[in-house]
Amino acid sequence: MTGVTERHGGSRGFLAATRLVAEREMKTFLRAKGFWIGLGVIVVGLFALSILPTVLGGGQTTVAAVGPRAAEVLADTGVEVREVPDVAAAEALVRAEEVEAAVVPDTTGGSATGVRVVALADPPTDVVAALRTAPPVDLLDPAEVGQGQRQLVIMVFALVFLMFGMSGTAIAQSTVTEKQTRIVEILVSTIPVRALLAGKIAGHSLLTVGQVLVIAVAAPVALRLGGHSELLALVAPALGWFVPFLVLGFVLLAAMWAVAGSLVSRQEDLGSSMGLVMLLVMGPYFGVMFFSDDATVLTVLSFVPFSSAIAMPVRLFTGEAAVWEPLVALGLLAGTVVLAVLLASRVFSGSLLHTGGKLALAKAWARQG
C-alpha cells in the first residue's frame, strides 16, 4: 500500500489521514451505548444539582443571639442558639462563618419584633423562615450571588471537567485494543503514527465540543427549573470562558491518555500506566472543591495549566479575576497543550509498536518512531 501520505503528499496527506482517524474514532464512540449513557448521566446530574435542594443542604443551623429578647425570639425555632455578649462579637462570628446569622437588638425602631437579623453575604432564608415574624435583615458583605448558588456553579464546573477528563480513558483503551489485536500494525503501514495520534485527539475533542453544546442547551433549562433564573446572566460570561478552557484542557489530557495507552499492550496493564493522568484529572477537581473559598490558592490554581480550566472560570464567575487574567491563563494553557502534544507525539511514536510488558517513558522516548 502506498499510504495516504504518498497518495496526497506532504501536509495534505497528514491532514487527510488525521481526518480519517478522527472520523473513525467518532463513529466508533457514537455507536457505543457507554457514550450516550455518560452524556445522559451528565445532563441528569446537572438537573439534579440544580433542582434537588438536599444536595446543597447542611446540618443544624447555628445562630448567634445578643440579649434576652433575641434568645426569646429564637426559642422553639429548632436552630442552635449561641449566646454572645454584644453585637460586635456576633458580627465577628458571622464573618468567620462560625454561625449562619446573628439575631441582635433593633436600635432603629423599625422592627416589629424588636430584633434584627445580621448575615454575611445573602439573606438566611432558613433562619428568617423559622421566626414567627420576619425581622429586617442586615448584610455585612452583600454578594451578588448567594453562597448556595455559588457552590452550585463551582460544583457543576468541577464535575463537568472531571467527567470529561475521565472520558479520555476511551483514547487509552482504544489504543490498547488496537495494539492487543495488532490492528495498529496495519494502521501504521497506511498512515503516519503522528496522524494516528492527531486523529484520536481531534476526534475525541470534537465529541467533547458536541457534549459541551448539549450541556450549554440543558443548563439554562435546569437553572430555571431549579429557581436559579437570575444566575443565567451572571454565569454567562464565565461559561463563555469555560468552553475554550475545557476544550484545551481536554486536548492536553487527551495527549497524555494516548501515551498511557501506547505504553502497554494489554487492557489489564492499563492501570499501571495511567496513574499520573488520573492524578492530573482528580487533582484539579479536589483542589477547586476544597479551596473554593481560599482566594490565594484559587488564584494560583487558575494559572496552573492542568487546573486553570476549572479555577479561572470559577474566579470569573465570582468576580475575583481581572480582565487580563483569563487571557494570560488561556495563553499558558494553549502553550502547554502545544508542548504536551509534541512530547506525546514522540513518546507515542516510540511506544506504539512495542509489545510485551509496560514500556518505560525513557525507553519510549529513545526509540525511533
Side-chain angles (χ1 to χ4, degrees), residues 291-303:
F291 297 103
S292 60
D293 293 327
D294 191 317
T296 302
V297 175
L298 204 61
T299 299
V300 173
L301 291 176
S302 67
F303 288 100

Side-chain angles (χ1 to χ4, degrees), residues 5 12 15 63 67 71 186 201 223 230 238 302 327 348:
T5 304
R12 286 185 59 198
L15 292 175
V63 178
I186 300 174
I201 294 176
L223 289 173
E230 71 278 4
S302 67
L327 297 174
F348 189 82

Side-chain angles (χ1 to χ4, degrees), residues 117-183:
V117 174
V118 177
L120 184 60
D122 52 297
T125 54
D126 51 345
V127 175
V128 175
L131 302 176
R132 295 180 181 86
T133 303
V137 178
D138 299 325
L139 300 180
L140 300 176
D141 187 13
E144 194 172 11
V145 181
Q147 183 67 15
Q149 295 174 327
R150 182 176 185 271
Q151 290 302 319
L152 169 65
V153 172
I154 292 173
M155 191 180 300
V156 169
F157 280 173
L159 281 175
V160 169
F161 173 83
L162 176 64
M163 298 191 75
F164 279 120
M166 291 303 297
S167 70
T169 55
I171 301 176
Q173 291 169 348
S174 69
T175 303
V176 177
T177 299
E178 291 167 354
K179 293 184 66 174
Q180 194 167 4
T181 57
R182 308 188 77 86
I183 293 176

Side-chain angles (χ1 to χ4, degrees), residues 5-24:
T5 304
E6 293 181 10
R7 287 199 303 271
H8 297 279
S11 61
R12 286 185 59 198
F14 180 85
L15 292 175
T18 299
R19 178 179 59 80
L20 289 173
V21 174
E23 289 179 353
R24 174 178 173 270

Side-chain angles (χ1 to χ4, degrees), residues 45-56:
L46 178 63
F47 276 85
L49 286 173
S50 179
I51 296 173
L52 299 178
T54 55
V55 174
L56 301 176

Side-chain angles (χ1 to χ4, degrees), residues 279-352:
L279 180 63
L280 293 174
V281 175
M282 301 295 291
Y285 168 77
F286 286 112
V288 171
M289 290 297 292
F290 289 158
F291 297 103
S292 60
D293 293 327
D294 191 317
T296 302
V297 175
L298 204 61
T299 299
V300 173
L301 291 176
S302 67
F303 288 100
V304 176
F306 290 97
S307 57
S308 61
I310 316 175
M312 184 57 75
V314 166
R315 292 185 63 228
L316 287 166
F317 170 69
T318 57
E320 299 171 357
V323 177
W324 58 269
E325 292 188 64
L327 297 174
V328 173
L330 196 63
L332 290 173
L333 178 57
T336 304
V337 167
V338 173
L339 179 61
V341 170
L342 291 175
L343 296 177
S345 177
R346 173 156 179 168
V347 175
F348 189 82
S349 299
S351 59
L352 189 61

